[in-house]
């Protein structure tokens, strides 16, 4: 009796987990669209559109669209430089509402923003599938840059936490990327320092696999001009990850700065006063690298004094 029940129970549990994952995904998509609509009321000079860049087949056989939100200025002739944003969420959650504020601010100042989606663990994905989604979104824009009125010779990539991990690798794998902004990202999945995040088999099981899934071991020449933002008291991703990655960028002949926010933990940049300060730094950095401003950003302009 037990032998006949167990397979049915296993199937039921797998279906329940899949349904829960789908429900959370759909809810996240709806939340992202609602948040976008609210920002469009505030930023009347910015246009936003949803574009499906890929349709994938899930392990259960169902099809799922992956999309991104593209923000562009309504005014100006273009073509506009573009920054791709990769949301965080521990590879298990999150959606394209991540970096919504930053994307709209950049678009208001003449830089397009792409907030993209990628498969999560609930979709049966690990690093190879997630990074392929990120790169496919970038390639879609590359192939359609002319019709989207985008300048693909001026490309930036940004991301935070788990999205910092994926975005940093994508920045090294994208020839046109000249600007990178990473927010408390995991840049070394093999040597995580004291990071709580990033263990397990998501990035592989061997040293070679984990290093292949780490930006710090795969820096291109020349590296993108890099700004890193990190709280010094972050227990989730060790602050040393940003320090070491910046050193590795410089060792390859690139420019890299670490904006260290004293005493701040993980995800500090999602709320003010740090949201405003780091967004201003991102804007100044991208404007400078894209040669839209001749003012080289000074780090001390973007620190938030301790109270």
């Amino acid at each position: 009796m037990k032998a006949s029940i167990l397979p049915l129970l296993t199937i039921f549990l797998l279906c329940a987990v899949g349904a829960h994952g789908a429900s959370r995904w759909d809810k996240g998509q709806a939340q992202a669209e609602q948040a976008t609509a609210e920002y469009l009321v505030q930023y009347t000079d910015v246009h936003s559109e949803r574009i499906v860049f890929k349709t994938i087949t899930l392990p259960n056989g169902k099809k799922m669209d992956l999309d991104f939100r593209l923000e562009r200025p309504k005014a100006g002739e273009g073509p506009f430089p573009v920054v791709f944003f990769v949301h965080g969420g521990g590879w298990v959650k999150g959606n394209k509402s991540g970096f919504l504020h930053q994307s709209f601010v950049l678009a208001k100042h003449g830089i397009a923003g792409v907030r993209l989606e990628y498969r999560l663990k609930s979709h049966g994905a690990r690093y190879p599938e997630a990074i392929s989604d990120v790169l496919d979104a970038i390639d879609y824009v590359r192939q359609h840059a002319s019709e989207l009125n985008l300048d693909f010779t001026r490309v930036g990539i940004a991301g935070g936490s788990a999205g910092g991990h994926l975005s940093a690798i994508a920045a090294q794998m994208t020839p046109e990327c000249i600007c990178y902004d990473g927010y408390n990202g995991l840049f070394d999945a093999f040597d995580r320092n004291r990071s709580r995040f990033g263990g397990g088999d998501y990035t592989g099981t061997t040293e070679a696999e984990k290093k292949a899934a780490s930006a710090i071991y795969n820096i291109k020449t020349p590296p993108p001009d890099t700004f890193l933002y990190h709280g010094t008291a972050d227990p989730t991703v060790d602050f040393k990850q940003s320090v070491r990655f910046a050193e590795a960028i410089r060792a390859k002949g690139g420019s890299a700065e670490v904006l260290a926010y004293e005493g701040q933990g993980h995800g500090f940049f999602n709320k003010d006063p740090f949201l405003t300060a780091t967004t201003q730094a991102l804007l100044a950095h991208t404007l400078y690298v894209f040669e839209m401003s001749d003012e080289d950003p000074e780090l001390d302009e973007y620190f938030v004094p301790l109270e």
Side-chain angles (χ1 to χ4, degrees), residues 36-220:
T36 300
E38 292 171 1
Y39 259 72
L40 282 168
V41 173
Q42 180 182 356
Y43 288 81
T44 57
D45 49 358
V46 172
H47 173 76
S48 180
E49 64 180 301
R50 174 182 174 269
I51 297 175
V52 174
F53 68 89
K54 183 178 185 179
T55 300
I56 52 97
T57 303
L58 297 173
N60 62 10
K62 292 185 177 180
K63 301 286 187 181
M64 184 176 78
D65 289 338
L66 291 176
D67 63 38
F68 58 75
R69 267 281 171 185
L70 168 62
E71 275 80 50
R72 286 173 297 184
K74 286 184 177 178
E77 295 182 1
F80 303 106
V82 59
V83 174
F84 293 86
F85 294 101
V86 187
H87 70 78
W91 304 314
V92 299
K93 59 182 181 179
N95 55 64
K96 59 182 173 290
S97 63
F99 293 99
L100 178 140
H101 178 74
Q102 293 88 339
S103 186
F104 269 81
V105 170
L106 260 60
K108 181 179 177 67
H109 290 85
I111 300 171
V114 172
R115 298 178 281 121
L116 61 88
E117 297 282 14
Y118 57 92
R119 277 171 285 182
L120 306 174
K121 282 186 177 182
S122 60
H123 301 128
R126 292 294 186 269
Y127 165 74
E129 292 79 26
I131 193 63
S132 74
D133 294 340
V134 173
L135 293 174
D136 284 347
I138 294 171
D139 189 57
Y140 181 97
V141 175
R142 178 189 288 115
Q143 298 300 325
H144 297 84
S146 179
E147 63 193 78
L148 295 173
N149 199 21
L150 301 176
D151 178 1
F152 217 80
T153 68
R154 293 184 291 170
V155 172
I157 300 178
S161 190
H165 164 255
L166 294 170
S167 62
I169 297 166
Q172 312 311 318
M173 299 176 71
T174 302
E176 300 91 344
C177 179
I178 58 175
C179 185
Y180 177 69
D181 287 73
Y183 300 73
N184 46 36
L186 183 73
F187 304 118
D188 188 343
F190 174 68
D191 179 2
R192 297 181 293 118
N193 299 105
R194 295 188 176 186
S195 303
R196 294 177 184 172
F197 172 67
D201 63 356
Y202 182 88
T203 56
T205 58
T206 68
E207 176 180 345
E209 287 174 337
K210 289 184 176 295
K211 286 186 173 181
S214 301
I216 199 169
Y217 303 107
N218 297 282
I219 298 171
K220 68 176 183 176

Side-chain angles (χ1 to χ4, degrees), residues 2-39:
K2 289 183 178 179
S4 62
I5 291 176
L6 283 176
L8 293 174
L9 180 59
T10 301
I11 293 171
F12 172 78
L13 290 173
L14 287 173
C15 291
V17 170
H20 174 71
S23 175
R24 184 164 67 177
W25 172 265
D26 293 340
K27 184 178 180 180
Q29 299 306 301
Q31 289 174 340
E33 292 302 310
Q34 178 61 35
T36 300
E38 292 171 1
Y39 259 72

